[in-house]
Amino acid sequence: MNTWGVRVIALLAVVGSYWLVYQHGRSVERAEATAASAQRDSGDRLAEVLGERGERTKEQQRADAQEEVRAHAQKQRTIAEGAAARADAAGQRLRDEAGKLAAAVGCPGQDPADAARGEAARRAAMVLSDLLNRSVETNRELAAAYDRARLAGLACEASYDGLVE
């Protein structure tokens, strides 16, 4: 081979080696860029996971607060039902006493006028006893409805306050 051919081959070898170095540099840059992107994505994902974990923690705290409100409302409902039962018992005793009084009212005797007055008094006592019975029943129903509405309102307010915080 002549010198000219040797020079061309040498030149091609140098240019080829430069080309290989250039390609190697590009592949190293791509690998570094991919690693940086992966690290950035990993950091973003970590932040996302931590954010989700924080949201889950907040949601669990809200759920715990709601459960506490529900338990407190149930306790208050039990107390109100006990008070209503005691009031019902007292009302029943009052009705029994009014019934006994109505039955006992009268004027035993021989005089027809006294008997008529006694019968009128007994009827009046029975009417009053009946009115008392209806009044006690109506008041019991109203008190129970008020207790339910009040407890529901307090539970709703506490639940709302727990969510707003």
Side-chain angles (χ1 to χ4, degrees):
M1 249 200 201
N2 64 18
T3 58
W4 180 252
V6 173
R7 285 186 188 164
V8 169
I9 291 177
L11 180 62
L12 285 176
V14 169
V15 168
S17 66
Y18 281 141
W19 178 254
L20 289 176
V21 168
Y22 170 75
Q23 287 300 325
H24 176 68
R26 284 191 60 199
S27 68
V28 168
E29 283 178 354
R30 270 184 279 192
E32 287 174 353
T34 302
S37 175
Q39 185 176 7
R40 185 177 54 250
D41 290 346
S42 174
D44 291 346
R45 180 64 187 138
L46 179 62
E48 184 180 318
V49 166
L50 291 176
E52 288 173 1
R53 187 174 298 145
E55 285 301 314
R56 275 189 242 133
T57 301
K58 288 179 186 177
E59 185 61 32
Q60 184 61 42
Q61 289 171 344
R62 285 187 202 111
D64 291 345
Q66 293 293 316
E67 180 59 27
E68 186 177 323
V69 165
R70 190 203 60 76
H72 181 69
Q74 181 61 38
K75 183 178 178 182
Q76 292 300 315
R77 211 173 293 117
T78 302
I79 291 170
E81 287 169 358
R86 287 189 299 278
D88 284 345
Q92 185 60 48
R93 284 191 303 273
L94 185 60
R95 287 190 298 261
D96 291 344
E97 289 299 317
K100 288 178 188 175
L101 178 64
V105 169
C107 296
Q110 306 296 39
D111 186 12
D114 287 342
R117 280 192 299 271
E119 182 61 25
R122 191 182 66 72
R123 283 189 198 135
M126 292 297 282
V127 168
L128 289 175
S129 176
D130 185 49
L131 284 174
L132 176 65
N133 285 337
R134 284 193 248 159
S135 173
V136 167
E137 183 61 27
T138 301
N139 289 336
R140 187 193 66 74
E141 290 172 5
L142 290 173
Y146 170 77
D147 285 344
R148 284 191 305 272
R150 181 179 159 276
L151 291 173
L154 290 174
C156 182
E157 181 181 353
S159 178
Y160 175 79
D161 288 345
L163 289 175
V164 170
E165 291 172 3

